Amino acid sequence: MENYLNILHFCFYKAHYKSHLFANKINPFRILAETSFIKNRLEKKGITNIEKEINKAFGDKKFGLSTTVAGGILWGAMAILFFSILMVFNVFVYATTPYIFACAVLSGGICYFFVFRNDKYIKYFDKYEKWTKAEKRKNTWLTLASLFAIFLLFYLGLKP
């Protein structure tokens, strides 16, 4: 289970980081960073390459924005999974706050112990960076299938 959750977390991280890199290419505000006024202000602060600094802020494995977003997606997906299981088995009729809170706490606890505790995910990230192209493709499809299954289960839980 720990390996599976870390695979999901890594795939979410890579997807977010790659979407950031793609958005960089089509970002019209990059033109503003090329103006002399902005360049001079950044150089006074010791920043010579703004794109490199932004990419570092997104891609940092320990404190990066992509890592934070990936953790949030993992936590949220697990909470939706637990909530969906409760809905499918008709544990409750209405979505009350205690059930939603319990699902969030349970998913947060599982994510903490299997992924985030003592920065365990960094060890897995280093391992997963060395995947072959076939392994990357397989685990990407596994992640997409997992998300599809979670949302399908949620949809089935909504049906009366």
Side-chain angles (χ1 to χ4, degrees), residues 33-100:
E34 298 299 320
T35 62
S36 60
F37 174 74
I38 301 290
K39 275 188 175 182
N40 291 338
R41 299 243 333 148
L42 291 173
E43 285 176 4
K44 286 180 183 175
K45 293 183 179 188
I47 299 172
T48 56
N49 187 348
I50 187 70
E51 279 188 47
K52 183 179 173 186
E53 294 296 322
I54 291 172
N55 290 342
K56 191 168 89 175
F58 271 83
D60 184 29
K61 291 178 186 173
K62 190 153 178 117
F63 299 112
L65 184 60
S66 292
T67 304
T68 305
V69 169
I73 293 171
L74 180 65
W75 189 351
M78 290 201 53
I80 291 171
L81 172 68
F82 294 137
F83 189 70
S84 301
I85 290 170
L86 290 176
M87 287 188 338
V88 166
F89 292 112
N90 290 325
V91 173
F92 57 92
V93 178
Y94 299 105
T96 59
T97 305
Y99 290 115
I100 295 171

Side-chain angles (χ1 to χ4, degrees), residues 7-151:
I7 287 172
L8 291 178
H9 186 236
F10 179 74
C11 288
F12 293 149
Y13 162 78
K14 284 305 245 185
H16 187 268
Y17 186 67
K18 285 185 179 185
S19 66
H20 155 71
L21 293 177
F22 175 73
N24 256 359
K25 292 181 182 184
I26 61 172
N27 188 356
F29 291 104
R30 284 181 45 196
I31 297 169
L32 286 176
E34 298 299 320
T35 62
S36 60
F37 174 74
I38 301 290
K39 275 188 175 182
N40 291 338
R41 299 243 333 148
L42 291 173
E43 285 176 4
K44 286 180 183 175
K45 293 183 179 188
I47 299 172
T48 56
N49 187 348
I50 187 70
E51 279 188 47
K52 183 179 173 186
E53 294 296 322
I54 291 172
N55 290 342
K56 191 168 89 175
F58 271 83
D60 184 29
K61 291 178 186 173
K62 190 153 178 117
F63 299 112
L65 184 60
S66 292
T67 304
T68 305
V69 169
I73 293 171
L74 180 65
W75 189 351
M78 290 201 53
I80 291 171
L81 172 68
F82 294 137
F83 189 70
S84 301
I85 290 170
L86 290 176
M87 287 188 338
V88 166
F89 292 112
N90 290 325
V91 173
F92 57 92
V93 178
Y94 299 105
T96 59
T97 305
Y99 290 115
I100 295 171
F101 184 72
C103 290
V105 168
L106 178 63
S107 65
I110 289 172
C111 287
Y112 174 75
F113 285 110
F114 288 118
V115 180
F116 305 121
R117 186 174 176 190
N118 299 326
D119 295 329
K120 198 181 294 186
Y121 66 93
I122 293 176
K123 175 184 73 168
Y124 284 96
F125 275 24
D126 294 337
K127 177 181 162 186
Y128 299 154
E129 288 284 343
K130 298 172 186 159
W131 278 343
T132 64
K133 199 168 200 161
E135 288 174 316
K136 287 179 185 176
R137 192 175 305 120
K138 178 188 81 164
N139 289 310
T140 300
W141 283 111
L142 173 73
T143 301
L144 290 174
S146 299
L147 283 177
F148 180 75
I150 288 170
F151 287 112

